[in-house]
Amino acid sequence: MLLLQHRLIQSPSGRDGKRWMPVVKLNADSAMPPGLRQQARALPEGAPIIAMIHGYRYSPSQPANDPHRHILALDPQPDARRVLSWPRALGFGTDLPGEGLALAFGWEARGRLGRAYRQAGEAGAALARTISELAECAARPVALIGHSLGARVALQALHHADPGSIGRMILLTGAEFRDAAAAAMDSAAGRRAEILNVTSRENDLFDFAIEIWLGHGQRQALGFGLDAPRRNWIDLQIDHGGTLDALRDLSFPVDRTPLRLSHWTPYLREGLFDFYRTALGQPWALPMPMLRARLPGRIEPRWSRLLAPPAPMGGLRA
């Protein structure tokens, strides 16, 4: 089922009357309604289209696990755990001209991890069809942000999307393998996309788990980055001091509270979404060559956070 949450706002000039600027809730098994194409065509110049993709253990068909009531909602359920409204954090829901179009993409990610991993591949193909149409209607590429298995959805979409329809993509501690990511980057759409791969040593246990359970110890997780450098791929380790220094110097101060173990800090850590919002909504302000020059790009060894000595002032925590 696809739902449209419309917000009535003034057009930039004030002479065109009212314009509907939606936050769109779309599930992988839904068809795109004709009205969405019209909304994409009506977007002001420079207004972004950003697709947001949740990870494991969500299901749009189960109210208790519905991502549209949680991280993908403008107003999440107040009693939800580990919740932050991604649309609001990305600048939507302001009723300001030019905020753009947010696509909240839901897919069935419950059940066994292996099944959810396979479902993520199918969801990526479904998302690619929508992205290709929207990019053509709006005459601009679509940006993506995905967490955990949602990063796999985003990468798999590259295999099926029209070349140039996907612009910049932010992967948040992606539950995917290095070889699968490299294959996605070799696709026609992958060669034209820009990827910011957000990693953290706080996620090491989760990376190790997918290597054992899904890769049978034969494949490495994306937490290590790619095997070989690519001009359109940058690794961003968010619990690395040099990375945090660089983000601060770029006017994106980020909370430095260290954790030993966490899968959710890429979207819960204060300050990171300020960077994501600019990187996705105004990519011209943070071009890849500049980011590559300013960010360390290094990834620390596995278990370096889990085995770190106790820190002062409360220490590391899980």
Side-chain angles (χ1 to χ4, degrees), residues 117 147-149 151-152 172-177 207 210 222 263:
Y117 183 84
H147 173 245
S148 186
L149 279 176
R152 170 169 163 79
L172 307 177
T173 50
E176 183 55 292
F177 297 105
D207 284 341
I210 70 164
L222 197 52
H263 188 50

Side-chain angles (χ1 to χ4, degrees), residues 130-158:
T130 298
I131 286 174
S132 296
E133 287 198 55
L134 285 181
E136 182 178 4
C137 291
R140 71 201 69 188
V142 176
L144 279 69
I145 182 169
H147 173 245
S148 186
L149 279 176
R152 170 169 163 79
V153 174
L155 286 166
Q156 289 301 302
L158 291 171

Side-chain angles (χ1 to χ4, degrees), residues 264-281:
W264 304 274
T265 48
Y267 66 85
L268 290 179
R269 179 159 289 167
E270 186 176 355
L272 283 173
F273 253 103
D274 295 333
F275 173 73
Y276 302 157
R277 181 172 61 250
T278 303
L280 294 176

Side-chain angles (χ1 to χ4, degrees), residues 16-47:
D16 297 331
K18 303 288 186 178
R19 177 176 297 159
W20 293 102
M21 300 295 286
V23 173
V24 181
K25 302 176 183 179
L26 174 66
N27 295 332
D29 56 357
S30 304
M32 185 170 65
L36 181 54
R37 297 178 180 87
Q38 296 168 6
Q39 296 296 331
R41 294 188 185 100
L43 284 173
E45 183 178 356

Side-chain angles (χ1 to χ4, degrees), residues 199-205 207 236-244 255-263 265 269 298-311 315-318:
T199 69
S200 172
R201 295 281 61 86
E202 299 163 356
N203 193 62
D204 279 344
L205 187 60
D207 284 341
L236 187 74
Q237 186 186 324
I238 57 170
D239 57 345
H240 177 254
T243 299
L244 296 176
D255 176 35
R256 290 174 175 260
T257 304
L259 303 177
R260 289 195 186 275
L261 178 66
S262 177
H263 188 50
T265 48
R269 179 159 289 167
R298 62 168 300 198
I299 296 179
E300 293 178 310
R302 176 169 284 177
W303 312 126
S304 58
R305 188 66 59 243
L306 190 62
L307 300 178
L316 297 168
R317 55 189 175 87

Side-chain angles (χ1 to χ4, degrees), residues 83-294:
V83 66
L84 171 75
S85 170
W86 286 20
R88 289 201 185 279
L90 289 171
F92 297 99
T94 64
D95 288 351
L96 294 176
E99 71 177 27
L101 178 64
L103 182 65
F105 186 75
W107 58 286
E108 293 297 330
R110 298 285 296 176
R112 292 182 179 273
L113 182 59
R115 178 180 181 275
Y117 183 84
R118 292 188 295 272
Q119 287 280 100
E122 298 173 8
L127 177 60
R129 291 190 290 270
T130 298
I131 286 174
S132 296
E133 287 198 55
L134 285 181
E136 182 178 4
C137 291
R140 71 201 69 188
V142 176
L144 279 69
I145 182 169
H147 173 245
S148 186
L149 279 176
R152 170 169 163 79
V153 174
L155 286 166
Q156 289 301 302
L158 291 171
H159 287 289
H160 307 278
D162 292 343
S165 63
I166 294 177
R168 183 166 287 181
M169 180 186 297
I170 295 182
L171 311 177
L172 307 177
T173 50
E176 183 55 292
F177 297 105
R178 301 173 88 180
D179 56 352
M185 296 301 294
D186 286 335
S187 67
R191 289 192 293 270
R192 296 181 60 177
E194 296 179 342
I195 314 298
L196 298 178
N197 179 41
V198 176
T199 69
S200 172
R201 295 281 61 86
E202 299 163 356
N203 193 62
D204 279 344
L205 187 60
F206 299 90
D207 284 341
F208 182 70
I210 70 164
E211 289 176 353
I212 298 301
W213 291 340
L214 300 181
H216 307 291
Q218 303 299 311
R219 305 170 74 186
Q220 284 190 315
L222 197 52
F224 286 107
L226 294 179
D227 285 317
R230 293 178 184 248
R231 61 166 184 79
N232 57 340
W233 180 289
I234 294 177
D235 294 312
L236 187 74
Q237 186 186 324
I238 57 170
D239 57 345
H240 177 254
T243 299
L244 296 176
D245 290 343
L247 290 175
R248 179 201 59 209
D249 293 343
L250 289 169
S251 300
F252 299 105
V254 174
D255 176 35
R256 290 174 175 260
T257 304
L259 303 177
R260 289 195 186 275
L261 178 66
S262 177
H263 188 50
W264 304 274
T265 48
Y267 66 85
L268 290 179
R269 179 159 289 167
E270 186 176 355
L272 283 173
F273 253 103
D274 295 333
F275 173 73
Y276 302 157
R277 181 172 61 250
T278 303
L280 294 176
Q282 299 173 304
W284 49 266
L286 294 170
M288 294 291 276
M290 186 266 282
L291 289 176
R292 189 178 303 281
R294 301 288 291 273

